[in-house]
Amino acid sequence: MTTATAELLTVPEVMARLKVGRSTVYDLIRSHRLVSITIGRARRIPADAVQDFIARKTEEAAA
């Protein structure tokens, strides 16, 4: 999927998908474990970045 067609999620949407709190999402962004972009003052996370994060965590758990 290209960036131009990527679905952008809000922090609350990512919170719901990962079942974590707001501070956890911002910690993941701050530590560069979850990719995000800023549009004006709004933080958006590409949906495929969330999927990549889940895949990485799943691989780590399996190792």
Side-chain angles (χ1 to χ4, degrees):
M1 182 177 291
T2 64
T3 306
T5 61
E7 177 186 11
L8 297 176
L9 304 172
T10 63
V11 170
E13 290 171 333
V14 174
M15 290 167 51
R17 287 189 185 201
L18 296 179
K19 311 262 190 296
V20 297
R22 179 180 210 84
S23 61
T24 300
V25 174
Y26 280 108
D27 286 343
L28 292 171
I29 291 168
R30 196 172 9 266
S31 64
H32 303 288
R33 290 181 284 169
L34 186 61
V35 175
S36 70
I37 61 172
T38 304
I39 302 172
R41 293 184 63 189
R43 178 70 62 176
R44 296 293 180 258
I45 301 96
D48 50 348
V50 176
Q51 292 302 318
D52 292 344
F53 173 77
I54 293 169
R56 281 194 312 274
K57 294 305 280 181
T58 302
E59 289 174 11
E60 288 174 14

